[in-house]
Amino acid sequence: MNLKKLIRPGKGASDITPIFADSEAFGFLIDKLVGLIDSPYPTKIVSIEGRGFILGSAIAYKLKAGLVPVRAGGKLKNLTYSKKYTDYSGKEKTLEIHQDAINRGERVVIVDDWVETGATLQAAIELVERGGGVVGGMVAFMDDSSDFLKESLVRYNYRFLERVAPEDRF
């Protein structure tokens, strides 16, 4: 199934919500992303703000794992770890995670929808590790990052489903 044909232009990032609306395409996407995760399977899926929540929730359900949302700064009211980072547009942002969301030594997989600069993934890694977790994998639907970034994420078993190519028009 060609998921790229369902993607349409969006405000900022491309719009992948038509995939979510198509049950066959969404199921296909989730099955493919789960297939990128090595066993032993994680006990928690860490999903990154926005569309990563949708993907991460479905993956957590399929793997019978818990779900830990990584939220934008200021969204969580209880004890949190936070990390500032600069996003793909050059804006400084903050991500947060609950301090009690991950147990020491717990194996997690980080899920995001689209990786461009990797800054969000790197912030999520730091939050997981600060909480005592072990990043056993990272999966994304689309990747538009540099080879340098991909090489730097090898130790975290980073994998993605689709590479964004220059000829792609969303």
Side-chain angles (χ1 to χ4, degrees), residues 116-162:
E116 198 167 0
T117 66
T120 307
L121 275 183
Q122 291 169 329
I125 290 167
E126 186 172 318
L127 292 171
V128 167
E129 291 177 343
R130 196 175 326 159
V134 176
V135 178
M138 298 187 317
V139 297
F141 170 33
M142 303 293 282
D143 180 272
D144 190 20
S145 70
S146 68
D147 290 337
F148 176 78
L149 175 71
K150 284 191 260 318
E151 288 172 23
S152 73
L153 297 175
V154 165
R155 69 186 183 132
Y156 297 105
N157 201 20
Y158 171 59
R159 297 182 179 156
F160 57 90
L161 192 57
E162 297 278 351

Side-chain angles (χ1 to χ4, degrees), residues 39-50:
S39 119
Y41 290 129
T43 53
K44 300 265 175 69
I45 297 296
V46 173
S47 60
I48 298 175
E49 182 79 32

Side-chain angles (χ1 to χ4, degrees), residues 22-104:
D22 181 319
S23 64
E24 184 180 345
F26 184 62
F28 179 81
L29 172 58
I30 296 304
D31 288 344
K32 289 294 188 182
L33 289 171
V34 167
L36 298 176
I37 299 171
D38 290 335
S39 119
Y41 290 129
T43 53
K44 300 265 175 69
I45 297 296
V46 173
S47 60
I48 298 175
E49 182 79 32
R51 299 179 303 186
F53 291 168
I54 296 166
L55 299 174
S57 296
I59 291 169
Y61 176 78
K62 283 200 77 112
L63 295 180
K64 296 179 177 25
L67 180 71
V68 178
V70 174
R71 301 294 313 268
K75 300 282 186 179
L76 301 175
K77 302 303 177 200
N78 296 321
L79 296 174
T80 62
Y81 296 117
S82 64
K83 172 65 178 161
K84 289 186 186 295
Y85 71 101
T86 303
D87 76 0
Y88 65 92
S89 68
K91 293 180 184 173
E92 186 173 277
K93 295 185 176 179
T94 303
L95 288 179
E96 295 179 336
I97 191 171
H98 281 291
Q99 289 181 6
D100 63 354
I102 299 169
N103 299 315
R104 184 152 305 284

